[in-house]
Amino acid sequence: MIDVKNSLDKLQWTAEHHYLHIIAKHDFMRAWAVQFELAYTDFRTIQLALQLSGKQHETLVKFTDAYDRLYVFEYEFAANGLDAFYSKFTTQDDLNNYEKAKNELLAQILVIKELGAND
């Protein structure tokens, strides 16, 4: 698999820090939006590496699903801000689902990092 360690590290950092930012109810800031967009680029780069490997379809599917589940939460904040986020995700179950989505993406990132270590 092509080297995507930097993209994996940046996506991991962004997922962790964006979650903490939102849960702490910090206001939206421009840097957050830039990080959100760059994380999408890292996501697509990792997807491409998995596709090009020709033997990681199951990992690709799991990684994409995990990212898509996290994206729903991050997009609401990026597009509409903190108040809209908490208007849409009003219950503790919603916030637990956000944390679960973040943790699943981080788990998939670790799987992919291990693949790179074994190449």
Side-chain angles (χ1 to χ4, degrees), residues 2 7 24 29 32 34 36 42 55 68 86 102 113 116-117:
I2 63 173
S7 289
M29 53 188 192
W32 199 100
V34 172
F36 175 73
D42 290 323
K55 54 187 174 185
D68 288 346
Y86 278 99
K102 180 221 14 133
K113 283 182 173 184

Side-chain angles (χ1 to χ4, degrees), residues 39-100:
Y40 181 75
T41 301
D42 290 323
F43 162 68
R44 296 293 290 160
T45 300
I46 298 162
Q47 272 190 319
L48 182 60
L50 291 168
Q51 290 168 345
L52 290 173
S53 78
K55 54 187 174 185
Q56 296 302 329
H57 181 73
E58 184 178 336
T59 304
L60 171 65
V61 169
K62 288 179 180 179
F63 173 68
T64 300
D65 182 58
Y67 180 85
D68 288 346
R69 282 187 274 126
L70 180 65
Y71 182 88
V72 170
F73 295 99
E74 290 207 351
Y75 178 80
E76 185 61 36
F77 183 80
N80 301 308
L82 184 64
D83 291 339
F85 178 90
Y86 278 99
S87 291
K88 182 171 183 174
F89 304 113
T90 60
T91 68
Q92 188 59 46
D93 282 345
D94 292 333
L95 299 179
N96 290 344
N97 288 335
Y98 179 23
E99 182 177 25
K100 184 178 175 183

Side-chain angles (χ1 to χ4, degrees), residues 21-32:
H21 184 94
I22 292 171
I23 293 301
K25 297 186 177 181
H26 292 163
D27 288 331
F28 178 82
M29 53 188 192
R30 185 176 173 346
W32 199 100

